[in-house]
């Protein structure tokens, strides 16, 4: 069986370095917000081309802390509306709700699966104060158009880059705009993944960075003195140590993912299968390679019978989840036909830094015979 994602194999080359880092952390005796966290925050900020990186417990908290930070700064208020893609993992929407803000769903483009900028303006009201952009599957959304809309309507732009580590805009920048704030997840299966939960916020907004650093640590900058009602969501020292080992290889591993994607795109020749749209630039890091087909379960069963594991990301769109069935949200009756089509048809093929060219050849051959 070709696994969808072999995390053990992905992390094997780092095993010796991981063990050395574990010993160093143990010998140092400083386990919370120590030198490894500081090193990673500096390195990742430099990698992304931003002033600040604030490590958090996970990617979800990174998003929530951005929203709560803006609330503390008076740039958002509870009850404000936030534009968000209808086609996203539910965590993006839950983060908005966790901050007592109101998500306003907007359909994606079928070609890219990302939010359609042409549909944003019609959803903007006097209560709209921000746009949460999700770079789904690893492909950057159309940020130039989105920022134009944001500037014209005095809206904040927050980016969920949980699947887009290392994606490059305009061949040089890893942040779409100097005023953007971006949340990352380092969940084990991500392009830059730890051995547990971890996340981070990157931003050039020094005021926001200062507030988030406090909020993640019980709202405290000085021990036992609390300026805000905060939470405990600090990047773990050991997970930061693992990230310090893996970060230097991120671009190389992303390039291998693109190499696999190019082969899939050029060699899959089957009218029953729709491959993703990509302009061959570095704006896509292929966290996932997602195809579409009308008979998804049949294709998935066929691939499994031929020794190929696949995953469905995601079978149920957020607005159809039971969590939003109550009269208070009233989302289950809503219709987002493009989002629903995507969620009914998508199937993710294996793609990772350890997938071999022989395995790619076999997967392509099996798909073309379907």
């Amino acid at each position: 069986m070709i696994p969808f994602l072999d995390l053990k194999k992905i992390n094997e080359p780092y095993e010796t370095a991981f063990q050395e880092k574990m010993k160093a952390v143990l010998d140092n005796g400083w386990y919370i917000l120590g030198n490894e966290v500081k090193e990673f925050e500096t390195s990742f900020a430099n990698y992304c081309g931003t002033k600040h990186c604030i490590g958090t417990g996970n990617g979800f908290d990174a998003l929530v802390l951005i929203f709560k930070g803006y609330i503390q700064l008076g740039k958002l208020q509870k009850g404000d509306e936030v534009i968000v893609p209808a086609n996203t993992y539910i965590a993006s929407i839950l983060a908005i709700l966790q901050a007592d803000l109101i998500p306003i769903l907007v359909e994606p483009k079928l070609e890219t699966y990302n939010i359609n900028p042409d549909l944003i303006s019609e959803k903007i009201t006097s209560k709209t104060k921000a746009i949460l952009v999700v770079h789904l599957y690893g492909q950057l959304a159309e940020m130039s158009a989105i920022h134009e809309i944001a500037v014209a309507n005095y809206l904040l732009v927050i980016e969920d880059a949980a699947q887009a580590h290392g994606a490059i805009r305009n061949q040089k920048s890893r942040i779409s705009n100097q005023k953007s704030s971006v949340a990352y997840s380092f969940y084990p299966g991500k392009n830059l993944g730890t051995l547990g939960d971890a996340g981070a916020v990157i931003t050039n907004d020094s005021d926001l960075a200062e507030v988030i650093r406090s909020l993640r640590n019980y709202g405290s900058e000085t021990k036992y003195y609390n300026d805000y009602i905060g939470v405990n969501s600090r990047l773990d020292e050991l997970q930061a140590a693992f990230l310090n080992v893996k970060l230097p290889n991120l671009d190389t591993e992303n390039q291998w993912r693109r190499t696999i994607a190019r082969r899939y795109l050029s060699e899959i020749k089957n009218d029953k299968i729709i491959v993703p749209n990509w302009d061959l630039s570095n704006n896509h890091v292929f966290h996932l390679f997602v195809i579409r087909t009308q008979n998804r379960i049949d294709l998935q069963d066929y691939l499994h019978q031929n020794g190929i594991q696949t995953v469905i990301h995601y079978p149920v769109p957020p607005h159809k989840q039971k969590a939003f069935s109550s009269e208070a949200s009233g989302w289950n009756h809503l219709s987002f036909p493009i989002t629903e089509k995507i969620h009914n048809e998508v199937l993710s093929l294996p793609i990772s830094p350890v997938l071999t060219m022989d395995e790619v050849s076999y997967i392509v051959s099996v798909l073309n015979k379907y």
Side-chain angles (χ1 to χ4, degrees):
M1 180 70 69
I2 298 174
F4 174 73
L5 186 66
D6 191 338
L7 289 177
K8 183 178 179 181
K9 191 174 181 180
I10 287 172
N11 286 306
E12 274 178 357
Y14 300 108
E15 184 174 345
T16 299
F18 283 169
Q19 290 176 345
E20 291 173 354
K21 281 290 189 181
M22 288 175 67
K23 186 176 187 305
V25 170
L26 286 169
D27 289 346
N28 181 272
W30 192 290
Y31 308 129
I32 302 293
L33 297 181
N35 289 333
E36 294 291 346
V37 171
K38 292 176 183 176
E39 179 184 338
F40 177 73
E41 289 180 336
T42 298
S43 297
F44 197 62
N46 290 337
Y47 175 81
C48 295
T50 54
K51 291 181 182 179
H52 306 283
C53 170
I54 308 100
T56 62
N58 53 69
F60 175 76
D61 285 355
L63 273 178
V64 174
L65 288 169
I66 290 173
F67 289 124
K68 289 190 173 182
Y70 279 133
I71 289 172
Q72 290 293 343
L73 292 171
K75 294 183 179 182
L76 288 174
Q77 295 182 6
K78 293 180 180 182
D80 284 345
E81 294 178 351
V82 179
I83 300 289
V84 64
N87 181 48
T88 185
Y89 182 54
I90 197 171
S92 308
I93 293 168
L94 293 178
I96 297 170
L97 293 168
Q98 188 72 28
D100 295 316
L101 302 167
I102 300 173
I104 303 298
L105 307 184
V106 173
E107 285 269 55
K109 282 189 174 180
L110 187 58
E111 297 79 15
T112 65
Y113 308 125
N114 282 327
I115 192 168
N116 188 340
D118 296 336
L119 302 179
I120 292 176
S121 294
E122 65 188 47
K123 293 295 185 77
I124 294 174
T125 71
S126 60
K127 296 181 179 180
T128 307
K129 302 301 178 183
I131 304 173
L132 174 57
V133 183
V134 182
H135 306 304
L136 200 64
Y137 308 148
Q139 184 171 31
L140 299 180
E142 298 173 54
M143 295 308 300
S144 294
I146 292 169
H147 277 293
E148 286 182 11
I149 295 168
V151 169
N153 293 276
Y154 305 98
L155 305 179
L156 297 168
V157 176
I158 298 98
E159 300 179 47
D160 181 343
Q163 299 182 354
H165 313 71
I168 297 176
R169 313 162 205 279
N170 303 320
Q171 303 305 312
K172 57 181 180 179
S173 177
R174 292 186 175 90
I175 186 168
S176 67
N177 186 285
Q178 291 302 303
K179 294 184 179 180
S180 284
S181 296
V182 188
Y184 284 91
S185 166
F186 305 116
Y187 181 80
K190 305 297 186 182
N191 291 33
L192 180 61
T194 55
L195 304 189
D197 274 318
V201 174
I202 63 167
T203 183
N204 286 310
D205 186 331
S206 297
D207 291 336
L208 179 66
E210 182 179 353
V211 171
I212 291 176
R213 287 189 191 281
S214 180
L215 286 173
R216 71 170 178 181
N217 189 36
Y218 301 110
S220 171
E221 294 181 14
T222 303
K223 194 170 185 178
Y224 303 130
Y225 293 86
N226 304 79
D227 299 317
Y228 310 105
I229 298 175
V231 297
N232 178 4
S233 184
R234 303 170 296 215
L235 175 59
D236 181 77
E237 182 75 357
L238 194 55
Q239 300 301 339
F242 297 151
L243 288 169
N244 285 327
V245 171
K246 297 181 76 174
L247 179 58
N249 291 326
L250 176 57
D251 285 345
T252 300
E253 294 183 355
N254 280 345
Q255 197 56 45
W256 186 250
R257 289 173 179 270
R258 293 189 188 104
T259 299
I260 295 169
R262 284 188 180 94
R263 287 201 58 194
Y264 280 154
L265 289 169
S266 64
E267 297 176 28
I268 295 174
K269 307 291 184 183
N270 189 321
D271 292 341
K272 300 184 184 71
I273 296 169
I274 300 171
V275 296
N277 182 280
W278 178 39
D279 64 7
L280 302 182
S281 74
N282 290 335
N283 76 339
H284 206 324
V285 293
F286 286 97
H287 171 61
L288 300 172
F289 191 94
V290 180
I291 60 174
R292 290 186 10 246
T293 183
Q294 291 186 354
N295 299 302
R296 177 173 62 192
I297 299 303
D298 182 67
L299 176 57
Q300 187 176 42
D301 289 344
Y302 164 78
L303 290 171
H304 189 269
Q305 290 166 11
N306 283 275
I308 302 167
Q309 186 183 43
T310 59
V311 173
I312 298 171
H313 295 91
Y314 306 96
V316 182
H319 69 282
K320 294 297 184 183
Q321 294 286 352
K322 183 179 178 181
F324 300 127
S325 63
S326 69
E327 291 184 8
S329 61
W331 282 7
N332 283 181
H333 75 280
L334 297 178
S335 175
F336 292 96
I338 298 175
T339 294
E340 290 160 22
K341 180 179 179 64
I342 291 169
H343 283 255
N344 287 332
E345 295 181 353
V346 290
L347 185 67
S348 299
L349 301 180
I351 189 166
S352 79
V354 297
L355 191 69
T356 69
M357 287 295 104
D358 286 344
E359 289 173 325
V360 173
S361 296
Y362 177 71
I363 292 168
V364 169
S365 174
V366 172
L367 283 168
N368 287 341
K369 292 175 183 175
Y370 174 66

